[in-house]
Amino acid sequence: MAGSTLLERPDMPDRLARHVIRLAQLLDAATDDAAADAGLTRVDADVLLALYAAPGQRLSPTGLTVGCGLSSGGTSNIVHRLVAAGYVNREANLCDGRSSWVRLTEEGAQVAGLVAQAAAAARARLLRRLPEGIAENLAQLVEAALDRLDDHAVPPSTGRSARRGRPLGKGARSGE
């Protein structure tokens, strides 16, 4: 296919998807390892990290369900487990008596911070293996692509177009 651009190649979308998924797996393994080192399941770590990044280190159970891609029953089980471990508390929502907040405890914030730092350090070590400038250029290209594509993404569960906010970790603490 001399002279053709990548976009003209029929295998390009699948090839791009495979490469992006593999890159995400490599980067995501850092969070898996950091969670395991802290004695957490990955989903427990995801909930703690979501709370750690949230304003006031609290979210509604629905916010956790949506933000972490969980079922409501799964969220409830995880929250119960994290309450028992002393990492989160449930608090009444004083503005809406029908709902509650899930808030990090001091211990939960410390654990989440350690997981976030360990994962960020592992991702940085991985990316330092790239030639100079590649990681920065890749981050800019992926961000530009997502800015363009996210507004019209079709969630797999609905088949309908939905406007979405920034990914959960965008602007989060400690480089999550």
Side-chain angles (χ1 to χ4, degrees), residues 6-175:
L6 280 178
L7 290 176
E8 294 171 338
R9 292 179 52 179
D11 68 328
M12 192 283 300
D14 291 334
R15 183 173 162 225
L16 177 62
R18 283 192 312 275
H19 290 314
V20 170
I21 289 167
R22 182 63 184 137
L23 177 60
Q25 289 171 335
L26 290 170
L27 293 169
D28 204 40
T31 305
D32 291 341
D33 292 345
D37 289 348
L40 300 169
T41 67
R42 174 55 193 263
V43 72
D44 290 345
D46 286 344
V47 168
L48 291 178
L49 291 171
L51 290 166
Y52 189 68
Q57 295 188 331
R58 72 179 190 176
L59 289 168
S60 69
T62 301
L64 284 172
T65 297
V66 171
C68 294
L70 303 169
S71 68
S72 59
T75 300
S76 180
N77 292 337
I78 294 160
V79 169
H80 287 304
R81 190 166 56 240
L82 293 174
V83 166
Y87 295 150
V88 302
N89 289 325
R90 288 193 76 129
E91 301 175 350
N93 182 338
L94 301 178
C95 296
D96 180 356
R98 299 168 296 161
S99 65
S100 64
W101 294 107
V102 178
R103 181 187 301 269
L104 279 179
T105 63
E106 190 173 316
E107 184 179 2
Q110 289 174 346
V111 170
L114 291 173
V115 170
Q117 290 172 357
R123 286 189 296 267
R125 282 191 303 276
L126 178 68
L127 293 175
R128 276 195 293 274
R129 294 170 36 194
L130 295 173
E132 187 175 333
I134 295 289
E136 292 82 7
N137 290 337
L138 183 59
Q140 289 173 355
L141 288 169
V142 170
E143 187 172 294
L146 290 173
D147 282 347
R148 190 78 156 179
L149 299 174
D150 264 350
D151 285 345
H152 303 290
V154 177
S157 62
T158 65
R160 294 187 312 264
S161 180
R163 290 188 61 87
R164 297 188 207 164
R166 290 273 182 231
L168 184 60
K170 186 86 171 178
R173 298 178 192 197
S174 301

